[in-house]
Each structure stands twice: as structure tokens, then as C-alpha cells.
Amino acid sequence: MPRRERRAQLLESALGVFVAQGYHAAAMDDIAERAGVSKPVLYQHFPGKLDLYLALLDVSCDAIIDNCRRALESTQDNKQRVAAAIDVFYEYVAQETGAFRLVFESDLTNEPAVRAHVDRVTTECAALIAEVIHDDTGLPDEASRLLAVSLVGMAQVSARFWLTEAGGISRPDAAALVAGLAWRGIRGYPKTDEH
């Protein structure tokens, strides 16, 4: 199997094991067995369990950030931008892979490298949103970032809550409810004269 395909296979197998067992309980033996490879093959691609976990985090974090960027670029209508950005988090937690557990519920957040990856989602998504807020409102960078981090936090926490506690509400309806709340708040900041 070509290296790239093998790596993807190993990542997929590792994701299943880490989601089911958490980092600490997951064993490289379990991952190798699930992938149908020997441990030496697994170690050829990833020198250790933490390296494998960080590779998975890279994939997951990049997906959320890229989806947030696409959501913001999908329209010039800020109400639709808010809805699309909120929906990114709902769509992500609803994926059957459970990958969101690595990013938002990791049992390894005390590890600096993992914490840095997890924080990158908030930081980079908020930076994208802050740029839109700043450009449209003229608010100072610090104020724009604070509002943006608040929107990201609202999306992330409410999406995770919806998944575990509010299952009677469909994903589109839940995301729309939270987007409505966010829009009612953020629209109160007037656009600058240029917008």
C-alpha cells in the first residue's frame, strides 16, 4: 500500500481507538490490530502514541478551521455568515467518527502540545471571525477578538451540549437557534460608514 494511503488507514484506525478509549487507555497494539498491521509498521509512520494523537489533532483542527473559513467566505451577508460559522461546529460534532472528542473532550489537555492544538481551533476560528467584525464595525482589534472568541465559544459549547443533552432538536434547528441568538447580539454593533 502506498505510504499516503497507509498513513490515512492508520489515522482512521487510531481515531476509532482514541475516540472509544481515550488517549490514556488506548494502546498502540489496539491501533495496529484495528488497522490490520504489525506494530513495527505503525511505528514506521508514527514514532509514538503522542505523535499519532497529534497527527489526528492536526487533521481535525485543520478541518474545523478550514470549514470556518469557507463558511465566512460563502457570503457577504453577515447574518448568513453567523449562521454558517455556528453550523460548522454543529456539523463537526454530529459526525459519526466522534473526532470532536479529541479536540473538545481530550483526556490529554494537560500535555502542552495537545493544548496548543486544541487552542488553535479557538484562536484561528476567532481570528477569521474577528477580521470580519473589525472590517464591518471598525471596532478595535481587541474588542473584535473578544466578540469573535465569544461566538466560537458559544458555537462549540452549545454544539457539544446539543449532542449530549438536547437530542430532541434537529441539528439544523439547534444551529439556527444558536445562530439567531448570536445574530441578535452581534448585529447591534453597527457597520462602519464604508460598509
Side-chain angles (χ1 to χ4, degrees):
M1 181 179 287
R3 185 166 180 80
R4 178 180 287 154
E5 289 176 29
R6 176 68 75 197
R7 182 178 169 86
Q9 175 202 23
L10 295 172
L11 286 171
E12 183 180 329
S13 297
L15 176 62
V17 173
F18 284 130
V19 166
Q21 299 177 18
Y23 178 83
H24 294 295
M28 293 295 269
D29 287 327
D30 297 334
I31 295 166
E33 182 179 322
R34 186 175 184 139
V37 300
S38 65
K39 268 180 53 176
V41 169
L42 181 57
Y43 282 113
Q44 286 174 358
H45 293 269
F46 302 99
K49 186 164 77 165
L50 181 58
D51 299 295
L52 180 53
Y53 194 80
L54 291 173
L56 282 169
L57 278 179
D58 277 337
V59 171
S60 293
C61 294
D62 288 347
I64 299 167
I65 294 163
D66 291 345
N67 288 339
C68 187
R69 180 179 293 106
R70 278 194 287 280
L72 294 172
E73 292 172 350
S74 69
T75 181
Q76 294 299 307
D77 181 294
N78 285 334
K79 182 177 182 181
Q80 291 176 11
R81 278 181 173 156
V82 168
I86 297 285
D87 193 55
V88 164
F89 290 88
Y90 279 81
E91 183 179 335
Y92 183 68
V93 303
Q95 291 175 0
E96 289 187 26
T97 64
F100 80 93
R101 294 191 189 287
L102 300 181
V103 179
F104 300 135
E105 298 176 0
S106 176
D107 60 347
L108 195 62
T109 54
N110 59 340
E111 166 64 41
V114 172
R115 179 85 258 148
H117 278 68
V118 171
D119 289 346
R120 185 168 70 89
V121 171
T122 300
T123 302
E124 292 191 27
C125 287
L128 295 167
I129 294 167
E131 186 177 327
V132 173
I133 292 171
H134 174 75
D135 288 350
D136 281 359
T137 66
L139 285 171
D141 289 341
E142 298 79 16
S144 297
R145 279 197 308 272
L146 180 59
L147 291 173
V149 167
S150 299
L151 287 173
V152 170
M154 180 188 305
Q156 180 201 126
V157 172
S158 65
R160 288 175 46 222
F161 176 83
W162 163 77
L163 188 66
T164 59
E165 304 288 333
I169 303 173
S170 72
R171 184 184 68 78
D173 288 346
L177 275 170
V178 175
L181 174 64
W183 176 245
R184 284 179 184 87
I186 201 71
R187 76 175 180 199
Y189 295 92
K191 287 188 168 191
T192 63
D193 292 337
E194 295 87 38
H195 294 92

